[in-house]
Amino acid sequence: MAPSKVLAGARVVLPTGIVHDGRVIIDGARISGVRAPADAPVTDLSGHWLVPGFVDIHNHGGGGASFTSGTVEDVLRGIHTHRLHGTTTVVASTVTGDMHGLAERAGMLSELAEQGDLAGIHFEGPFISPCRKGAHSEELLRDPDPAEVRKLVDAARGRASMVTLAPELPGGLDSVRLLAEHGVIAAIGHTDATYEQTQAAIDAGATVATHLFNAMPALGHRTPGPIAALLEDERITVELINDGTHLHPASLELAFHHAGPGRVAFITDAMDAAGFGDGRYMLGPLEVEVADGVARLVEGGSIAGSTLTLDRAFQRAVTVDRLPVEDVVAAISANPARLLGVYDRVGSLEPGKDADLVVLDADFALKGVMRRGEWVVDPQLG
């Protein structure tokens, strides 16, 4: 067990607000609410911010590794890459594939979830609309038959966190109900649904909008489509990819204004190139070209995930979008932790929770990362 330690001097972001010249005590792997031993080492973080570790509910890989097709070692490398950028809790997202392959992948990823490396599995596809397929193979898409949805959930052995589907497809609403009954997040995405169809899916139990604005009809003044329904309903948390490519700043501001900071979850939707570099990659069966940090399909040019890491999303949200730090912390830590049902352990800096935290400098650049009481990135060595 890690020894007790004290982090002192930083501006600490708590659920109740910002504490200046704050002091956080770590006892082993958890945040302690009691006095530290007299000989506990003190890390001086004056001039820095101390925030909870980031929670990413939609992530396909990083560090040159794919959660969809990589080996166990590859997946672990991808997880570690995102930890180096502050994401201490990550859900592994798959992309559309054949059902047998997805079930096998779910089995492998569930083992990593059982040993604590992953927080769960997110199936993005194959139950999505060919009209809004994005970087998914159209030949492998299928309607959301509840029996097939159940097969994937069962293959994940209790570790399925979320399934993205298009609720307007045959079987869509029944599949949403099935997921809700089994405690799995039903996410509306890659959809051509109308406003009314989206409302019906929310009433059936959907609670998340997969990367709002992307892979769905644009907001219209006569046909408002899914965006209006998702933004206005208090039951929905909206995912946002804040990389400057997927969303115009005005769209991000619109989402925050209408949903409010309690209903936004920043995600990366990262693929292999995150934290790795430009080049050619595979996203499922499709080839992707990453140039200047933007990932696009070689055939057709559709955006194919992102190369985003959550430390960059945090810094952009504060410095470019001018969002309050507390609201960014909610969107990048607390809200996704609540969605996953793990807010009792992560997502905020409170006694008894895992010692998962991020140190940022005055310009909100990442300087340190701690996971379960151990430095992944030591701010004193940075």
Side-chain angles (χ1 to χ4, degrees), residues 267-289:
I267 62 164
T268 59
D269 194 17
M271 45 81 71
D272 311 20
F276 200 67
D278 290 354
R280 290 268 177 128
Y281 298 85
M282 298 301 295
L283 186 61
L286 303 178
E287 191 172 15
V288 175
E289 176 78 30

Side-chain angles (χ1 to χ4, degrees), residues 13-382:
V13 183
L14 302 176
T16 51
I18 298 171
V19 176
H20 294 265
D21 194 18
R23 181 180 173 90
V24 175
I25 301 169
I26 311 299
D27 185 12
R30 296 187 181 278
I31 298 170
S32 174
V34 299
R35 186 182 300 274
D39 60 349
V42 178
T43 301
D44 182 8
L45 296 176
S46 299
H48 292 73
W49 291 85
L50 196 59
V51 301
F54 308 147
V55 180
D56 194 354
I57 61 172
H58 188 156
N59 187 318
H60 298 279
S66 169
F67 295 157
T68 295
S69 58
T71 63
V72 170
E73 291 72 22
D74 290 335
V75 174
L76 290 172
R77 185 169 76 253
I79 293 168
H80 183 67
T81 295
H82 285 281
R83 284 183 189 165
L84 293 174
H85 292 275
T87 299
T88 51
T89 301
V90 64
V91 171
S93 301
T94 62
V95 296
T96 294
D98 67 84
M99 290 294 291
H100 177 71
L102 285 173
E104 283 194 337
R105 174 63 28 170
M108 185 264 265
L109 294 173
S110 68
E111 292 182 9
L112 293 176
E114 287 161 7
Q115 65 190 39
D117 293 297
L118 292 170
I121 304 165
H122 164 217
F123 297 101
E124 188 180 19
F127 311 114
I128 60 176
S129 171
C131 302
R132 304 286 174 177
K133 64 182 183 297
H136 291 256
S137 175
E138 185 166 354
E139 295 75 19
L140 296 172
L141 300 182
R142 55 181 62 217
D143 292 336
D145 180 342
E148 295 203 316
V149 174
R150 176 67 186 271
K151 285 180 183 177
L152 285 188
V153 171
D154 288 346
R157 303 201 303 258
R159 301 294 176 168
S161 296
M162 183 162 66
V163 176
T164 292
L165 53 78
E168 75 277 9
L169 296 176
L173 294 183
D174 285 338
S175 292
V176 169
R177 295 186 187 99
L178 170 80
L179 293 168
E181 289 168 2
H182 285 80
V184 179
I185 296 167
I188 299 171
H190 287 276
T191 177
D192 208 38
T194 64
Y195 175 84
E196 292 77 14
Q197 288 170 329
T198 305
Q199 286 184 313
I202 298 169
D203 288 339
T207 55
V208 166
T210 294
H211 44 53
L212 187 75
F213 298 107
N214 296 112
M216 59 183 63
L219 183 66
H221 63 295
R222 292 193 182 92
T223 54
I227 294 172
L230 294 164
L231 281 177
E232 72 184 10
D233 200 299
E234 294 294 322
R235 294 169 288 182
I236 291 291
T237 298
V238 297
E239 294 182 348
L240 298 176
I241 309 171
N242 193 23
D243 62 353
T245 298
H246 281 78
L247 295 175
H248 189 282
S251 297
L252 183 94
E253 183 181 2
L254 178 74
F256 256 91
H257 176 74
H258 285 277
R263 292 203 294 119
V264 172
F266 280 140
I267 62 164
T268 59
D269 194 17
M271 45 81 71
D272 311 20
F276 200 67
D278 290 354
R280 290 268 177 128
Y281 298 85
M282 298 301 295
L283 186 61
L286 303 178
E287 191 172 15
V288 175
E289 176 78 30
V290 179
D292 297 325
V294 178
R296 293 185 180 275
L297 290 183
V298 172
E299 290 190 18
S302 292
I303 292 178
S306 84
T307 62
L308 185 64
T309 51
L310 282 181
D311 59 330
R312 286 169 44 213
F314 193 114
Q315 186 177 40
R316 180 181 176 85
V318 178
T319 62
V320 176
D321 303 307
R322 302 295 179 184
L323 294 172
V325 175
E326 305 97 310
D327 291 354
V328 179
V329 167
I332 214 163
S333 299
N335 298 343
R338 287 193 183 96
L339 276 174
L340 293 176
V342 296
Y343 188 66
D344 61 323
R345 294 188 289 106
V346 300
S348 66
L349 300 179
E350 296 178 88
K353 291 194 175 185
D354 289 353
D356 291 0
L357 50 87
V358 174
V359 180
L360 304 169
D361 68 14
D363 297 318
F364 299 95
L366 183 140
K367 292 298 177 182
V369 181
M370 177 181 285
R371 184 173 187 270
R372 298 181 182 173
E374 299 284 355
W375 287 115
V376 180
V377 178
D378 190 331
Q380 295 181 307
L381 300 176

